[in-house]
Amino acid sequence: MTTLKETKEKINADSENWKLYFYDFVDDFRYYKNVEMISESFAFDNEKFDALLASTAEKLCEELGLEIPKWLNETPSCKTPFFVAGFEKLKATAIVESPLRFRIRNVFVTASFLQRV
């Protein structure tokens, strides 16, 4: 069971493999449904990933019917839009499909971003 803070630390240490750590957290959080996994704040030192992780935690809490920790409200938004897919042709789709929790922080993802098959 990996916490959000631990996930952030792994991403900071190895940003090239961020998707591996990110989706491990998503899977663990959905499996354990334990708000303690997101109860501890982390240092806001990576604008894009801070906003992505906070938005994801909030979206998963909504999905699972869990209370959203208040510290997540303090997570800053990206100064410039962050399109997670990184493909120009998906930008318009991401703008339309991004859940509110992501758009609030200027992070844009497609509707299938958190879906696991």
Side-chain angles (χ1 to χ4, degrees):
M1 181 167 68
T2 305
T3 68
L4 190 63
K5 183 177 181 180
E6 291 168 337
T7 301
K8 167 75 187 297
E9 291 167 356
K10 288 177 182 179
I11 290 171
N12 280 350
D14 182 16
S15 61
E16 286 193 23
N17 292 306
W18 73 267
K19 289 181 182 179
L20 172 69
Y21 310 119
F22 177 84
Y23 284 111
D24 280 350
F25 168 78
V26 170
D27 291 344
D28 280 356
F29 193 70
R30 282 183 169 145
Y31 179 80
Y32 292 106
K33 300 173 182 69
N34 185 344
V35 77
E36 292 296 316
M37 294 173 66
I38 58 171
S39 64
E40 190 175 359
S41 175
F42 52 72
F44 300 130
D45 58 4
N46 186 323
E47 181 181 286
K48 291 179 180 180
F49 287 115
D50 295 347
L52 176 64
L53 290 170
S55 299
T56 299
E58 290 174 341
K59 180 66 176 152
L60 291 173
C61 282
E62 285 179 347
E63 173 188 310
L64 300 170
L66 300 172
E67 187 173 340
I68 298 171
K70 296 197 184 316
W71 75 266
L72 288 168
N73 293 328
E74 300 168 11
T75 310
S77 299
C78 293
K79 291 180 181 94
T80 59
F82 175 32
F83 291 90
V84 177
F87 298 109
E88 190 67 33
K89 64 182 178 181
L90 290 178
K91 283 185 177 180
T93 302
I95 289 170
V96 172
E97 294 181 352
S98 283
L100 179 61
R101 295 287 180 179
F102 291 85
R103 284 184 282 138
I104 287 171
R105 290 198 179 88
N106 217 9
V107 175
F108 297 93
V109 298
T110 60
S112 63
F113 178 64
L114 291 177
Q115 293 178 0
R116 303 287 280 159
V117 182

